[in-house]
Amino acid sequence: MQLFDLTEKTAIITGSSRGIGRAIAERLAEHGARVVISSRKAGPCDEVAADINARYGEGRAIAVPASIASKDDLQRLVDETNAAFGRIDIVVCNAATNPYAGPMAGISDDQFEKILQNNVISNHWLIQMVAPQMLARKDGSIIIVSSIGGLRGNALIGAYNISKAADMQLARNLAVEWGPSNVRVNCIAPGLVQTDFARYLWENPELLKQVTEPAPLKRIGQPDEIAGAAVYLASPASSYMTGQTLVVDGGITIAW
């Protein structure tokens, strides 16, 4: 058994047209997996799938646009993946949203509900749609991209952090339920990564220094540095790991 071999495995990655999701899809494909690229807009998904097929062979990637806020879209994502590849072995719940920054007293009900829906409930929907076949085969890896925000308080993105803490608990609960069937559920908790999603935190040099200076590695992370963690959690290398949150943050959470 090759520890990081994903040959013949099929992975769905939400939010995979750019950023961390795209990096995860590319690296899973590099290690042999067939990957399903999914985000809201078809064009960017098609581009990523075409690039992966050009690099790793035709048929290694397909694009299935879907909104994580739509249960019907997520079911179609699962159905089209099963139709194309016959099975789903790995699910990476990466897509998320954060429409509000500020104190909790100022968030609207609609904003709070959208954060909880897209970042927690939609993950639950997708995971429950793919779980039956994994449980039947007694094999599967589910990965939720959370955040170090789920481990800390923050005066500006409190609701987002609440959702990310909930993702960690979702992983723990499902790991307990499904461990006897050898279906593993884990989280990745990135620190600050250079993506469009976090642009407001890193495009200002002064703010970037403020948020990276306390970290032992003194720098922002790159999407590919999160992708490595996903490859580990998806592969046989992590076969004895479940219910955990793997922190990849340049050391910021262990520093003063």
Side-chain angles (χ1 to χ4, degrees):
M1 178 181 68
Q2 297 292 319
L3 286 182
F4 297 96
D5 184 16
L6 297 173
T7 304
E8 299 302 319
K9 301 292 187 181
T10 298
I12 290 175
I13 308 98
T14 65
S16 48
S17 63
R18 61 181 182 173
I20 290 172
R22 176 172 184 165
I24 289 173
E26 291 171 342
R27 291 301 185 175
L28 293 180
E30 180 185 38
H31 285 77
R34 300 168 297 199
V35 296
V36 181
I37 309 302
S38 187
S39 66
R40 285 177 298 172
K41 298 180 180 178
C45 292
D46 290 336
E47 291 174 13
V48 174
D51 183 61
I52 289 173
N53 285 328
R55 279 193 280 168
Y56 301 113
E58 197 61 36
R60 290 290 294 282
I62 62 171
V64 183
S67 167
I68 57 171
S70 166
K71 200 170 191 177
D72 288 342
D73 274 18
L74 291 177
Q75 187 62 61
R76 181 174 49 78
L77 170 61
V78 171
D79 292 344
E80 291 191 20
T81 300
N82 283 326
F85 294 133
R87 58 188 290 151
I88 300 166
D89 304 278
I90 301 155
V91 172
V92 183
C93 296
N94 169 69
T97 191
N98 185 35
Y100 174 79
M104 290 296 296
I107 193 169
S108 71
D109 288 349
D110 286 346
Q111 289 169 323
F112 204 175
E113 288 170 3
K114 183 175 182 179
I115 289 170
L116 295 177
Q117 173 63 63
N118 287 356
N119 298 2
V120 185
I121 296 173
S122 292
N123 291 344
H124 164 71
W125 283 348
L126 179 58
I127 290 167
Q128 295 299 327
M129 290 170 186
V130 300
Q133 61 175 281
M134 293 181 174
L135 295 169
R137 287 195 304 267
K138 295 189 180 300
D139 184 56
S141 177
I142 296 162
I143 303 164
I144 304 171
V145 179
S146 179
S147 167
I148 60 168
L151 300 169
R152 311 172 77 175
N154 187 290
L156 286 178
I157 54 171
Y160 176 78
N161 287 359
I162 288 167
S163 74
K164 291 304 184 176
D167 279 334
M168 297 177 190
Q169 187 61 31
L170 179 61
R172 286 188 284 263
N173 282 359
L174 295 178
V176 169
E177 290 185 33
W178 295 341
S181 295
N182 195 41
V183 175
R184 301 181 298 107
V185 190
N186 292 287
C187 282
I188 302 171
L192 180 59
V193 177
Q194 194 167 5
T195 64
D196 286 342
F197 187 80
R199 180 176 293 276
Y200 73 102
L201 286 172
W202 57 261
E203 65 181 358
N204 181 321
E206 291 183 7
L207 184 56
L208 176 61
K209 182 177 181 181
Q210 180 182 332
V211 297
T212 57
E213 186 62 29
L217 293 185
K218 307 293 183 189
R219 65 175 176 84
I220 193 171
Q222 298 300 317
D224 221 26
E225 295 178 301
I226 308 303
V231 171
Y232 167 69
L233 291 175
S235 72
S238 62
S239 58
Y240 195 51
M241 183 172 181
T242 195
Q244 302 303 310
T245 296
L246 188 56
V247 177
V248 187
D249 70 344
I252 187 68
T253 54
I254 57 90
W256 285 100

